[in-house]
Every structure is written in C-alpha cells, then in structure tokens.
Amino acid sequence: MEFPENLKYSKEHEWTRVESNRAIIGITDFAQDELGEIVFIDLPAAGTNVEAMETFGTIESVKTVSDLFSSVSGQIVEVNSALEDEPEFINNDPYGDGWIMIVEMSDPNQLDDLLNSSEYQNYIEEEKQGD
Amino acid sequence: MYGVHKEAGARFIPFAGWEMPVQFSGIIEEHIAVRSSAGLFDLNHMGEIEVIGDGAEDFLQYIITNDLNAIGDGDAQYTVMCYEDGGTVDDLLVYRINRERYMLCVNAVNTEKDYLWMVKNSKGKVQITDKTADYALLALQGPHSKAALQPSVKGDMDGLKRFGFILEEMNGAEAMISRTGYTGEDGFEIFLPSDKCSALWKELLAAGSEYSIKPVGLGARDTLRLEMGYPLYGNELSQDTDPLEAGLGWVVKMDKGHFMGRDALLSLKEQGTVRRLVGLEMIDRGIARHGHRIFSDEKDVGYITSGTMSPSLKVSIAMGYVSSEMAKEGTVLEVDIRGRLCSARVVKRPFYKPSSSGG
C-alpha cells in the first residue's frame, strides 16, 4: 500500500495535493482497499462550495455507502467526471486517475490540520488495532 | 474453515453466529468468475434439518406450501413454510431421500426458529433433528462447475438433472451432491460431514484451477442472486410478507389438501394482493438500497428490499414491494436515495439471463 510523501492526509482517509491555491482531493489507497470495488460515486457540481471536514458526496462499493469529506474549505472548480462511468479508477489508481475534485481553497491554513504520510500511516495502524 | 479462508485473503463478517467470508479477491471479480467459469462457496452457515419417520411425508406436506407429490426419491424441491396467517417462516429446499427420510436446507438466520416451528407443529410418527453442526455445505457454481466437480465424485454429474441429487461416499463418509444453487448458473451443492469440508474445499480449488475457479464470498452470492431476482429471507421475505406478494405463488399448491397457512393464502389469492414484489432498473444515477422508500407522484407506494450495481449488466438494479397497481412492467417510479428522488422503471425478473442453466 502506498502513501506518497508529497500528499497531505485526513483522518477521514482523503488525500490532498496542493498546487498553489488549489487542493486536489481523492481517497487514499487504504480507503479504497477497505471499501472494496467502487461501483458508484455521487459528486456535487463544479461551483459548489464545500467546508473542511464536512461531507460533499457519497461513494459506494457493492455492499457499502460512505460519505466523502472535504479536507479543506473553498469552491469546487472541477470534479472528475470520468468517475461517473469508471468509478473503478479509484481502486486502480487512487492518487492518479482516481482523483475526485479540485477545490480553490478559501483558507489554506487548514492544510496544517492534515497529516503527513508517516503520521497517516501511524494513524491507520492504530485504527486497525482498534478493530 | 476460518483458517483456510484467512490464508486465501478473505474478509469476514459475523453472520447468524458464524464468521463467514464476505469476499476473497473482490466481489465483482468473484461474481464474474461464477458467470463466466466457476466459483466455490463455503455455505457452512446454512441450516440442515432432518425429518425422518413413517409420517415424514404427511408432516412435510402439512408444514410446507409446495406439493411433495411432484417429486420422487433423489429430487429436491424449492418451497416456503408459512404461518397460519400466510406470513413466511422461511424459504427452503426439501431433499427427498426416500418417503421416510428428508433433509431440509434452510436459511442460517432461521435455523433455530424453523426447527422450533416444526417441532411445535409436528404430528404423526416423525423425528425432527437439527443437523446443522454435523454438516458442511459447499457450492460449486458456474458454466464450468460440472467439469470442475466431476474428478472429485464417483457419480456421473452429466446424468444428474437440475434439482436432482445423489448420495455417495466421499472420504469415508456419506455426502449428498445436488444440482442446485442460488446463482442461476449450472451448479452443484455438496453436503458433507463438517470434518471433511476443508479437504474437499482445497481439492475442488486445485482440481478447478484449469478453469480459473475462484473462492467466492457472501458478497457475490448476494449480487448473483439479485441479478436472478431471487428473494432473500430478511429482505424480500419475512414474517410480514406472504409468498403470493413475493411472487412465489408457484410454490403454493392450493389443491394439494390442507396445509399450514392455506386458508389465509387462499383468501389473499381471491382478494388479490395489495402489494407486489417488483424488479426495478434505475433510470437516474444511483443505487437503491434496502429500506429506501418508493414514490409515485409524491405518494409513498412502497420500499426497496435489495439493490445493487449489477456486475454483469453494469446497471443499477433493485427489488422492492410496491402497491399492486404500480407493479406493471414499464411503470416509472421514484426511489428516495438519501433525500434524492431517482427515477426507476419496473422491469421483469430475472434481470440477467445466465449462459448455463444445467441439467
């Protein structure tokens, strides 16, 4: 399982890649593996405002429905519409083709609340032991 | 079996007191293996109840709704058991070994309830025994299941007709092999003593490797049965639903003589059912799930019992109960998916036509 060093991670299992004032957001390798094969994703339209740590959509595997949480606040400038027809991109390439949305950040300081790669890996180890 | 499955990378869920594998390599991959080749299921959680004695046939004719006169020795029959008011106790398979010896395969969650119900209502010379702990059950399903199974059994699987079964000795114990299943594909189910189970599991996986046979968990078992529109107890069937509205009128034989629930079912049949189980195909994007409400012109007309993204058809399918006047094929309804109203069309079941059917 991979957790690239150049990404930020949330405890809700989203990753965030920062490009100037924009945050590209997806779900982590761990999250896609836990969910299993993704069969459906419900996303808001571009232009919608999202709030950090609030739900912005849902993702469904064969058996489960899960909420998606934004790692930052701001306005969605683009959603990955390819996922509508090929949600399995999230399983196959969670940090690449499986990206979910791009947010124009209203408060980049929120990035400081996120975890780095090794902190996130420690966090999921703790979660697993809590099972 | 837990250790064997754990080794194979299975994920488990607690189910009716058993730790059962929900998936091995992935639900969709396993599902497709069953549709295109073969898959092996561990169904140890299913209940086995034996009914023996002079009065076995008469008692079963009374407790189930289907007519056992339609089958002979070595045949299995799908049926339901009903309460006096027509509500469903369980759906099950009855295996007729001979006139005085039957084996019933019942749902795991219902095993104890079924057993107690049968004991409470038993009559005549009959002995009812819960054999669940003694028996293991494996299912081999898919177009290549016959070829994959044949090397492990003595009997000629080609000659076994759909819903037929044979008894034969397997590793020094009596096993029952039937051409039955819950996937719609050609397939077999093998009842054998629990201590022989993990050896046979490994043997079948090894023998079937040339057909790319895969171990299959309960997740794919559910998507496979859903594509066929088969009911599942707890979803489509319950104490509060009768077999007629569930579309199982074909296993309710009114003219076989008196049986438990007959009076209630006969009057329901004469009045016409208030609601019906239908197949739904989503028109809008979204997956309808168990419990979602169904609307027509803002009026609540029913609820979803099961739903999934069909791995074979790649469309979102569901089943649900709707008012009978809404049950006509082609009717467009709306499903409330977490606050979003999504259009769906009433379609015929099964949703999917299997390539193999067996026998």
Side-chain angles (χ1 to χ4, degrees):
Chain A
M1 215 168 273
E2 284 180 45
F3 304 99
E5 293 287 337
N6 61 332
L7 304 179
K8 300 270 195 183
Y9 298 87
S10 74
K11 289 185 176 176
E12 305 292 350
H13 308 291
E14 272 83 27
W15 58 261
T16 304
R17 190 168 78 232
V18 181
E19 284 179 6
S20 65
N21 202 44
R22 291 184 165 188
I24 301 156
I25 294 169
I27 67 165
T28 68
D29 204 2
F30 173 76
Q32 70 76 20
D33 187 63
E34 284 288 301
L35 290 171
E37 297 138 302
I38 310 289
V39 293
F40 183 78
I41 185 161
D42 183 28
L43 297 174
T48 309
N49 287 313
V50 292
E51 293 293 325
M53 299 311 139
E54 288 192 6
T55 66
F56 67 90
T58 51
I59 189 163
E60 303 193 34
S61 64
V62 181
K63 296 299 278 181
T64 61
V65 184
S66 308
D67 285 323
L68 292 165
F69 292 83
S70 184
S71 10
V72 292
S73 303
Q75 187 177 50
I76 301 176
V77 292
E78 196 180 341
V79 295
N80 187 357
S81 53
L83 298 179
E84 280 192 14
D85 292 328
E86 279 158 302
E88 62 271 22
F89 282 172
I90 294 173
N91 296 113
N92 301 339
D93 190 9
Y95 303 113
D97 288 343
W99 68 275
I100 292 172
M101 65 171 179
I102 303 174
V103 175
E104 185 78 30
M105 290 182 280
S106 58
D107 182 6
N109 290 332
Q110 289 171 336
L111 293 169
D112 299 339
D113 300 335
L114 299 175
L115 309 174
N116 66 30
S117 173
S118 60
E119 287 166 342
Y120 177 67
Q121 288 179 65
N122 289 338
Y123 174 71
I124 58 181
E125 279 310 312
E126 281 166 29
E127 271 218 325
K128 275 191 223 161
Q129 268 144 39
D131 275 352
Chain B
M1 291 297 288
Y2 184 87
V4 178
H5 297 326
K6 190 91 193 161
E7 236 171 81
R11 290 186 187 178
F12 295 85
I13 45 158
F15 185 78
W18 303 75
E19 278 291 321
M20 295 308 295
V22 64
Q23 69 165 65
F24 292 86
S25 52
I27 293 173
I28 296 174
E29 199 178 313
E30 293 162 27
H31 179 113
I32 300 298
V34 172
R35 289 271 180 254
S36 63
S37 180
L40 185 61
F41 301 72
D42 172 4
L43 304 176
N44 274 322
H45 60 300
M46 298 293 283
E48 290 89 19
I49 297 173
E50 187 185 65
V51 179
I52 55 176
D54 277 351
E57 186 173 282
D58 287 345
F59 165 64
L60 286 171
Q61 281 288 63
Y62 168 67
I63 206 81
I64 67 169
T65 61
N66 208 338
D67 186 0
L68 285 176
N69 286 319
I71 66 168
D73 294 353
D75 291 333
Q77 184 183 65
Y78 178 69
T79 185
V80 294
M81 286 196 285
C82 285
Y83 294 102
E84 194 77 64
D85 69 357
T88 310
V89 181
D90 203 1
D91 67 331
L92 62 148
L93 277 177
V94 178
Y95 293 80
R96 175 176 158 140
I97 296 158
N98 58 51
R99 223 192 126 261
E100 295 174 0
R101 187 177 168 209
Y102 291 84
M103 181 74 98
L104 276 46
C105 182
V106 304
N107 283 296
V109 289
N110 292 335
T111 308
E112 198 185 347
K113 178 188 79 176
D114 291 356
Y115 170 74
L116 294 173
W117 174 252
M118 291 170 70
V119 168
K120 185 178 149 205
N121 291 286
S122 72
K123 47 184 191 179
K125 262 187 91 181
V126 60
Q127 187 184 328
I128 303 161
T129 317
D130 181 355
K131 302 281 243 182
T132 306
D134 300 341
Y135 279 95
L137 174 59
L138 299 182
L140 185 57
Q141 302 278 303
H144 290 144
S145 54
K146 187 180 68 187
L149 177 63
Q150 188 64 70
S152 302
V153 296
K154 297 181 204 86
D156 172 25
M157 291 298 103
D158 227 3
L160 191 60
K161 64 178 193 290
R162 188 83 180 149
F163 282 96
F165 70 92
I166 54 165
L167 298 171
E168 73 168 40
E169 198 192 292
M170 221 173 200
N171 301 328
E174 188 183 64
M176 188 166 91
I177 302 155
S178 63
R179 201 159 192 172
T180 49
Y182 195 42
T183 63
E185 299 292 336
D186 188 14
F188 300 83
E189 293 180 300
I190 305 141
F191 297 83
L192 75 170
S194 299
D195 57 336
K196 311 287 182 199
C197 181
S198 64
L200 182 65
W201 173 269
K202 287 175 185 167
E203 184 183 325
L204 289 174
L205 280 183
S209 63
E210 64 176 297
Y211 305 105
S212 307
I213 188 176
K214 281 195 159 54
V216 184
L218 296 185
R221 182 169 156 84
D222 193 49
T223 54
L224 287 158
R225 70 94 192 166
L226 242 168
E227 285 186 342
M228 293 307 297
Y230 294 155
L232 171 66
Y233 197 93
N235 290 35
E236 286 74 29
L237 302 174
S238 73
Q239 185 168 356
D240 303 319
T241 57
D242 66 72
L244 303 179
E245 60 189 5
L248 295 178
W250 61 279
V251 302
V252 180
K253 298 291 160 60
M254 300 294 183
D255 51 5
K256 73 163 175 170
H258 184 68
F259 60 91
M260 177 66 86
R262 182 178 184 272
D263 296 346
L265 290 167
L266 191 60
S267 89
L268 282 167
K269 190 176 179 179
E270 282 163 359
Q271 289 160 22
T273 56
V274 178
R275 54 179 192 174
R276 286 198 66 81
L277 186 68
V278 294
L280 292 167
E281 194 175 300
M282 298 305 299
I283 299 168
D284 289 334
R285 298 184 68 246
I287 301 173
R289 305 272 186 182
H290 182 77
H292 289 168
R293 302 302 310 186
I294 304 171
F295 291 87
S296 172
D297 285 333
E298 293 174 22
K299 207 174 110 220
D300 189 324
V301 296
Y303 63 98
I304 298 291
T305 50
S306 302
T308 194
M309 183 63 78
S310 157
S312 307
L313 304 168
K314 298 194 168 62
V315 295
S316 179
I317 58 172
M319 289 194 278
Y321 280 103
V322 298
S323 319
S324 295
E325 66 272 19
M326 299 291 160
K328 208 169 152 260
E329 212 183 310
T331 306
V332 174
L333 301 166
E334 286 178 312
V335 183
D336 181 351
I337 300 182
R338 294 179 299 279
R340 203 160 51 91
L341 285 180
C342 299
S343 302
R345 185 182 294 110
V346 176
V347 296
K348 220 186 245 152
R349 294 180 287 152
F351 299 96
Y352 176 82
K353 272 218 172 333
S355 60
S356 66
S357 52

